[in-house]
């Protein structure tokens, strides 16, 4: 790829005629009005239900008209309806709600029963949702570790008993005053009648205020232990195709253990995963922006979560979508998504771009000038496939990928010592060099045992010593699932509870490193018990998403865990591997971050992720086969040049992304192109940065460009954020200048070897950028060398310096 001035960089490759953005987009006429539900049944005191008003086009597409509708109840004594369409029962009986929108009217029946039934308050079911909704128990308020002004609540209400005690027994009883509820600090501060650092949260006279007042007046009951509980929630609608600037009202229905369903929209919490595409109000009204893509909105209520997904296509229609080349199963799924978004993919990358990209992605190494020339002049149409196969067999493949897995698995010399850390690293590298199936690799790590000096993977349990930490780290590495926060409270964005966390921890509680005559030994022995820290109940080992068994597995509990982890039926294992490799090769995961897989962070292309996971299982977890499939796809082989339809897209593989290069790879690139190897403390001469098994080897360049310290299992430890200090270092580093000007360096050798300036320029461009120069670049460079003919080597060093500092060199593209 040639990096030209900005005007040329944004020039467009156009496949088909496009309706321009300034062409008015006419909304499809609404053929039918639908009010959901057609019949509202309200049961119990203060029961509510949110009406959704849909418009249906002739093509069958649904659009939300709730915000445009006007609502009127026939008998206000029986029920009332708000301007947002929320129906609330007041007295037993039957009435109707009239709905008018776009000049059309609809009428729905409303039945109310048991409206006057005395309310049996339940602290967890009735009061905790209010604290959740208004942020009282968030980490930024009274859910803070130290609380606020002496008042502390459990984060997200995970410990109702402690919260109840804090309200009713602390502060000399002033927080709640059953004899005079309105004098309770809980009400006076929340309503703003008394100064409150959090401001006015619940206004006087609202139904939520009356709920708190009624609970206090009833004597602040905790409620019956066997009261029905929330078993799950569902968001309605679950998915929708939305135009830009559209609105969509959501409704949240909670399923109760006594087989009831209730509307909890007013007390659910909402969060959007991509704020650049849409926002969501506290009442569940989604507002779409002006960028195409896909957005998810999470709803949560009493620990249960569900997600609404919206596809937002470009408003400009493509007059005639052209046929697209598909290299394998990947491309069909990518192209299906692009068609839905009204996007066209960018043109294929040229051979030079593909060559450099695949070298850096597969082996973390630049091609040499000879390798680049040979590939660029090769006329074989299958040369790209052949190249990938050759790279996968090179030793640099194992070096580079061992570095990446050593980061995640925390090969830490300071924690392990030199011998054990190197043994752990060698186990990782040898497995990669031998292309051991990934399920076997994971299984051996999970089931590691024996002397630490002899068993490489056993060292993992020396670095990650606590059973809970091991369960959390391995879940994050091999499943992409984060469970760590469930150690203290219910996961705020996922379904995992403390019981789930400690169920996973229980698999590792028998695992210990103990002293032995011939050194430390890892073993799994005994039958230690795990108890719930809040309830004191026994927790038996069980996998995520499964019911707790009557007892933990006999023997080494990890055997059962490893079988579940690596099973093709595991809902996360194969997808995690596929997602991590997709993120590496495409610059962004289908689930992003790659190690935060949850229902409320859905993949950008779930069908593609499913297909990749099936491919992984079908090829028996052969990592190289997955790499072959991804690098062979048209999606991977696209240019970075945008077209008018995909310039704003970064998640749908419509074009290749500019990507920062790993610190170790970039340092090796500097050394390779200048011909002067880097020296590392404690490493033999000739060691490359991607071969450094010790992440604590001191080196300023590696630290500056984001090398991880290996203190967590998070992919985010490696910092790819650019900084001014990095730019200044490449421009001004005495060490880099010394490499460029070294008497035995590559520049000095090339100047001596090529007396013809044009040939010298060709060789330098092949060396640094893996391509031949364009005619303009060549003319400019030759002119520069000619002008400095008396100091030709210095002029060549200047040219090399400019190439090394170009965006084309420092980015993978």
């Amino acid at each position: 790829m040639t990096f030209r001035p900005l005007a040329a960089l944004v020039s467009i490759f156009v496949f088909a005629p496009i309706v321009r953005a300034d062409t008015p987009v006419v909304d499809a006429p609404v053929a039918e009005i639908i009010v959901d539900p057609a019949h509202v049944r309200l049961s119990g005191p203060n029961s509510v239900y949110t009406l959704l008003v849909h418009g249906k086009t002739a093509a069958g597409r649904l659009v939300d008209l709730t915000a445009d509708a006007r609502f009127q109840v026939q008998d206000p004594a029986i029920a009332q309806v708000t301007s947002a369409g929320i129906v609330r029962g007041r007295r037993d009986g039957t009435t109707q709600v009239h709905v008018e929108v776009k000049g059309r009217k609809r009428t729905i029946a409303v039945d109310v029963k048991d409206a006057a039934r005395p309310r049996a308050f339940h602290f967890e079911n009735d009061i905790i949702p209010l604290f959740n909704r208004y942020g009282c128990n968030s980490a930024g308020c009274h859910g803070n570790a130290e609380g606020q002004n002496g008042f502390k609540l459990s984060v997200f209400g995970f410990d109702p008993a402690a919260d109840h005690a804090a309200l009713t027994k602390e502060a000399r009883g002033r927080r709640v005053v059953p004899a005079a509820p309105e004098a309770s600090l809980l009400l006076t501060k929340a309503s703003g009648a008394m100064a409150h650092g959090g401001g006015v949260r619940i206004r006087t006279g609202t139904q939520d205020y009356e709920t708190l007042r009624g609970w206090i007046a009833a004597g602040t009951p905790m409620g019956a232990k066997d009261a029905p509980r929330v078993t799950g929630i569902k968001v309605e609608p679950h998915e929708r195709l939305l135009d830009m600037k559209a609105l969509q009202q959501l409704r949240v229905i909670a399923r109760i253990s006594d087989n009831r369903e209730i509307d909890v929209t007013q007390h659910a919490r909402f969060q959007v995963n991509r704020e650049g595409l849409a926002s969501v109000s506290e009442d569940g009204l989604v507002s779409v922006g002006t960028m195409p893509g896909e957005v998810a909105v999470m709803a949560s209520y009493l620990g249960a979560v569900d997600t609404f997904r919206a596809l937002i296509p470009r408003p400009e229609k493509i007059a005639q979508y052209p046929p697209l080349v598909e290299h394998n199963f990947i491309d069909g799924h990518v192209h299906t998504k692009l068609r839905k978004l009204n996007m066209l993919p960018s043109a294929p990358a040229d051979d030079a771009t593909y060559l450099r990209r695949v070298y850096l992605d597969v082996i973390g190494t630049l091609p040499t000038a000879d390798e680049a020339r040979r590939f660029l002049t090769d006329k074989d149409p299958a040369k790209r496939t052949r190249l990938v196969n050759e790279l996968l067999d090179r030793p640099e493949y194992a070096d580079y990928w061992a570095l990446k897995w050593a980061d995640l698995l925390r090969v830490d010399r300071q924690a392990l010592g030199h011998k054990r850390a190197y043994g752990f690293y060698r186990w990782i590298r040898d497995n990669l060099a031998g292309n051991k199936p990934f399920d076997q690799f994971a299984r051996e790590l999970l089931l590691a045992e024996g002397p630490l000096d002899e068993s490489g993977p056993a060292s993992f349990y020396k670095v990650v010593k606590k059973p809970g930490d091991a369960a959390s780290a391995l879940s994050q590495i091999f499943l992409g699932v984060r469970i760590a926060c469930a150690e203290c409270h219910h996961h705020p964005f996922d379904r995992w509870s403390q019981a789930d966390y400690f169920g996973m921890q229980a698999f590792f509680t028998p695992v210990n490193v103990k002293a032995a005559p011939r050194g430390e030994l890892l073993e799994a022995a005994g039958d230690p018990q795990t108890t719930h820290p809040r309830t004191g109940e026994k927790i038996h080992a069980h996998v995520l998403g499964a019911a707790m068994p009557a007892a933990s597995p006999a023997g080494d509990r990890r055997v059962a865990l490893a079988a579940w982890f690596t099973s093709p039926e595991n809902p996360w294992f194969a997808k995690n591997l596929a997602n991590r490799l997709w993120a590496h090769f495409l610059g962004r995961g289908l689930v992003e971050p790659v190690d935060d897989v949850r229902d409320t962070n859905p993949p950008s292309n779930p069908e593609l992720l499913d297909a990749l996971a099936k491919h992984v299982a079908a090829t028996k977890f052969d990592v190289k086969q997955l790499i072959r499939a991804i690098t062979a796809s048209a999606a991977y082989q696209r240019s970075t040049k945008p077209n008018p339809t995909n310039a704003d897209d970064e998640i749908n593989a419509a074009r290749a992304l500019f990507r920062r290069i790993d610190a170790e790879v970039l340092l090796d690139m500097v050394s390779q192109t200048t011909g002067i190897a880097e020296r590392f403390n404690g490493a033999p001469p000739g060691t490359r940065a991607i071969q450094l098994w010790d992440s604590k080897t001191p080196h300023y360049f590696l630290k500056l460009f984001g090398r991880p310290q290996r203190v967590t299992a998070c992919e985010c430890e490696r910092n790819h954020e650019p900084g001014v200090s990095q730019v200044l270092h490449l421009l001004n580093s005495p060490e880099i200048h010394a490499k460029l000007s070294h008497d035995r360096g590559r520049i000095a050798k090339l100047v001596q070897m090529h007396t013809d300036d044009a040939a010298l320029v060709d060789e330098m461009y092949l060396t640094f950028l893996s391509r031949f120069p364009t005619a303009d670049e060549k003319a400019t460079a030759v002119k520069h060398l000619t002008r400095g003919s008396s100091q030709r080597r210095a002029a060549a060093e200047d040219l090399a310096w400019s190439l090394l500092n170009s965006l084309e060199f420092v980015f993978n593209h």
Side-chain angles (χ1 to χ4, degrees), residues 283-479:
D283 297 314
L285 181 62
V286 179
S287 302
V288 176
T290 57
M291 289 181 62
E294 188 165 3
V295 68
V297 178
M298 179 204 75
S300 64
Y301 179 79
L302 285 181
V305 295
D306 195 20
T307 305
F308 162 76
R309 295 179 62 184
L311 186 72
I312 309 165
R314 293 174 56 257
E316 301 88 354
K317 307 297 182 182
I318 298 174
Q320 184 178 359
Y321 206 94
L324 300 175
V325 174
E326 297 183 357
H327 294 172
N328 57 23
F329 71 95
I330 291 173
D331 295 322
H333 293 290
V334 172
H335 294 160
T336 296
K337 182 68 176 292
L338 294 181
R339 288 187 184 94
K340 291 179 180 179
L341 292 169
N342 293 330
M343 287 184 190
L344 290 166
S346 291
D350 59 31
D351 279 345
T353 301
Y354 179 82
L355 168 74
R356 186 179 189 274
R357 182 186 299 170
V358 82
Y359 259 81
L360 292 176
D361 284 342
V362 176
I363 64 173
T365 303
L366 275 179
T368 65
D370 288 341
E371 290 169 338
R373 181 183 288 104
R374 185 164 56 249
F375 181 82
L376 295 176
T377 56
D378 188 351
K379 304 302 182 184
D380 183 359
K383 65 180 182 179
R384 294 190 178 189
T385 299
R386 190 179 70 244
L387 174 62
V388 172
N389 288 331
E390 292 171 355
L391 295 177
L392 290 172
D393 288 337
R394 286 178 53 161
E396 294 97 325
Y397 166 78
D399 292 337
Y400 182 41
W401 288 90
L403 171 72
K404 299 183 78 66
W405 282 105
D407 289 343
L408 294 178
L409 295 174
R410 297 171 62 178
V411 176
D412 186 350
R413 176 182 54 81
Q414 289 185 346
L416 294 171
H418 185 284
K419 180 179 178 181
R420 290 175 181 171
Y422 182 69
F424 192 7
Y425 168 81
R426 287 302 308 181
W427 175 80
I428 295 172
R429 190 193 180 283
D430 290 347
N431 277 296
L432 291 167
N435 197 32
K436 178 171 288 184
F438 190 71
D439 58 338
Q440 294 183 33
F441 175 82
R443 192 178 301 117
E444 289 182 15
L445 181 75
L446 282 161
L447 298 176
E449 60 182 353
L452 266 61
D453 290 338
E454 300 174 13
S455 174
S459 291
F460 173 82
Y461 295 93
K462 179 69 173 179
V463 177
V464 187
K465 299 178 180 179
K466 297 180 180 179
D469 291 345
S472 177
L474 291 170
S475 296
Q476 190 166 348
I477 293 168
F478 290 123
L479 305 181

Side-chain angles (χ1 to χ4, degrees), residues 69-340:
R70 290 187 298 171
F71 304 91
Q72 184 176 9
V73 68
Q74 180 174 308
D75 188 347
I78 294 176
Q80 64 183 34
V81 62
T82 71
S83 60
I86 302 171
V87 183
R88 182 182 301 276
R90 302 188 67 184
R91 191 182 70 189
D92 289 4
T94 299
T95 185
Q96 294 178 326
V97 170
H98 304 294
V99 182
E100 182 177 355
V101 63
K102 289 189 175 293
R104 306 182 196 185
K105 296 181 179 180
R106 294 290 183 271
T107 299
I108 65 167
V110 177
D111 294 334
V112 182
K113 68 175 183 177
D114 297 333
R117 185 180 64 204
R119 188 170 183 179
F121 286 99
H122 190 277
F123 181 71
E124 185 173 356
N125 290 344
D126 297 324
I127 308 304
I128 293 294
L130 300 184
F131 294 158
N132 289 342
R133 169 63 183 269
Y134 295 107
C136 308
N137 54 17
S138 67
C141 197
H142 296 287
N144 186 283
E146 289 78 31
Q148 293 286 351
N149 294 327
F151 179 31
K152 182 181 184 315
L153 294 169
S154 63
V155 181
F156 309 120
F158 81 94
D159 192 348
D163 293 343
H164 186 266
L167 282 166
T168 60
K169 298 179 181 179
E170 296 177 3
R172 299 188 300 278
R174 293 188 305 135
R175 288 178 182 152
V176 288
V177 184
E182 292 80 1
S184 303
L185 286 178
L186 178 62
L187 287 177
T188 56
K189 290 206 167 190
S191 65
M194 182 178 292
H196 178 221
V200 178
R201 307 305 296 165
I202 304 176
R203 297 190 180 278
T204 305
T206 63
Q207 188 58 52
D208 290 341
Y209 180 94
E210 291 303 318
T211 295
L212 284 175
R213 194 198 66 78
W215 173 71
I216 297 171
T220 66
M222 186 67 185
K225 292 184 178 180
D226 59 351
R229 303 299 174 96
V230 172
T231 60
I233 64 172
K234 60 180 178 180
V235 177
E236 297 174 339
H238 194 64
E239 58 184 32
R240 188 61 61 87
L241 179 70
L242 298 180
D243 293 328
M244 292 181 181
K245 297 186 179 180
L247 299 176
Q248 177 64 58
Q249 177 63 52
L250 303 181
R251 180 171 62 207
V252 182
I253 302 298
R255 296 183 293 271
I256 312 300
S257 57
D258 60 2
N259 296 320
R260 289 182 298 128
E261 289 190 346
I262 60 173
D263 186 331
V264 296
T265 309
Q266 291 181 289
H267 297 136
R269 291 186 301 120
F270 300 94
Q271 180 175 337
V272 66
N273 71 334
R274 299 190 66 203
E275 294 182 356
L277 294 184
S279 61
V280 61
S281 73
E282 63 179 11
D283 297 314
L285 181 62
V286 179
S287 302
V288 176
T290 57
M291 289 181 62
E294 188 165 3
V295 68
V297 178
M298 179 204 75
S300 64
Y301 179 79
L302 285 181
V305 295
D306 195 20
T307 305
F308 162 76
R309 295 179 62 184
L311 186 72
I312 309 165
R314 293 174 56 257
E316 301 88 354
K317 307 297 182 182
I318 298 174
Q320 184 178 359
Y321 206 94
L324 300 175
V325 174
E326 297 183 357
H327 294 172
N328 57 23
F329 71 95
I330 291 173
D331 295 322
H333 293 290
V334 172
H335 294 160
T336 296
K337 182 68 176 292
L338 294 181
R339 288 187 184 94
K340 291 179 180 179

Side-chain angles (χ1 to χ4, degrees), residues 670-730:
V670 172
S671 299
Q672 177 182 323
T673 54
T674 60
I676 301 299
E678 190 73 8
R679 292 298 304 269
F680 301 102
N681 292 344
T687 299
R688 300 180 61 212
I690 63 170
Q691 295 174 314
L692 288 176
W693 56 270
D694 180 12
S695 64
K696 300 301 192 296
T697 298
H699 199 282
Y700 177 75
F701 185 102
L702 297 180
K703 180 180 179 181
L704 179 64
F705 283 85
R707 176 183 63 178
Q709 290 297 303
R710 298 179 181 172
V711 295
T712 73
C714 185
E715 189 81 34
C716 58
E717 255 204 51
R718 180 173 290 278
N719 185 3
H720 282 115
E721 292 298 317
V724 174
S725 56
Q726 298 170 354
V727 176
L728 294 175
H729 184 79
L730 289 175

Side-chain angles (χ1 to χ4, degrees), residues 355 359 366-377 672-673 746 750 754 762-772:
L355 168 74
Y359 259 81
L366 275 179
T368 65
D370 288 341
E371 290 169 338
R373 181 183 288 104
R374 185 164 56 249
F375 181 82
L376 295 176
T377 56
Q672 177 182 323
T673 54
R746 191 172 309 281
L750 291 177
H754 297 282
D762 281 348
E763 199 68 20
M764 293 183 68
Y765 267 79
L766 287 168
T767 298
F768 284 88
L769 304 183
S770 308
R771 65 172 174 86
F772 289 104

